[in-house]
Amino acid sequence: MPDQIAGLSELRGDCARCFGLCCVALPFGASSDFALDKPAGKPCPNLQGDHRCGIHTELRTKGFTGCTVYDCFGAGQKVAQVTFGGQDWRTGTKEHARAMFDVFPVVRQLHELLWYLTEALGLPAARPVHAGLRRALAETERLTLLPPGELAGLDVAAHRQEVNVLLLRAGELVRAGAGGKKGKGKDRRGADLMGARLRGADLRGASLRGACLIAADLTGADLRGAEMIGADLRDADLTDADLTGAFFLTQPQVDSARGSAGTRLPTSVRAPVRWAAGG
């Protein structure tokens, strides 16, 4: 899977090549994740003139936890450097800035699909659909390179639906060989498992697609080969859990959870620094 890992590494945000687009284009409301309200198109008050965050090392203590679990999957640098040729939203016209802000969320969705498609192509069990996945990957990449006007009007939902058919099949193929005691993973798609007590649970090969696992206790749980696409892991406890081989797991999901030095993760994601202290 070396090629896929290399491909996934390019689908991570590179703030040095962006113009702080997530800090301007996206809206957020005052909550446990954000300390204040901010409408779309208005720069966050913490954004500095060099497009860097003025409280980056203090985001959690300052009430901006939501920022610490966000990743644009590389869409920021794509929009900044490719779609708009390196022209800053600060120095361009209002129309230029508005177009950039409209395009960024679209490309972010496309780049998230690129992440899943790239990972799926590295799953041997999904080989029967690899040809379709490669075509979908090429088409999704093509869409990210459209001119700003076409990107802004793109029906991303329709494209996502087409890609999802392939990802669903890929997930079924992978989970078929990663089941638990009965040789078949549990189907927990869309399940409401908020706060669930799943300590030490055998969830090998389970489908947790779209499951709500907010604040769930997954301490020591066996999640090997589980499908994690869309699972909400905010404040879930993954202490000493084994997610080896879990797939369609993204960095934002991992960053939103709690874990420990004993938590085992797939190579496509990395453990947050705070996990070393059990946070």
Side-chain angles (χ1 to χ4, degrees), residues 10 21 37 108 153 164 179 226:
E10 298 175 1
L21 291 178
D37 291 315
R108 198 269 182 187
N164 193 47

Side-chain angles (χ1 to χ4, degrees), residues 61-72:
T61 58
K62 295 285 188 179
F64 289 86
T65 302
C67 297
T68 68
V69 300
Y70 177 82
D71 192 286
C72 71

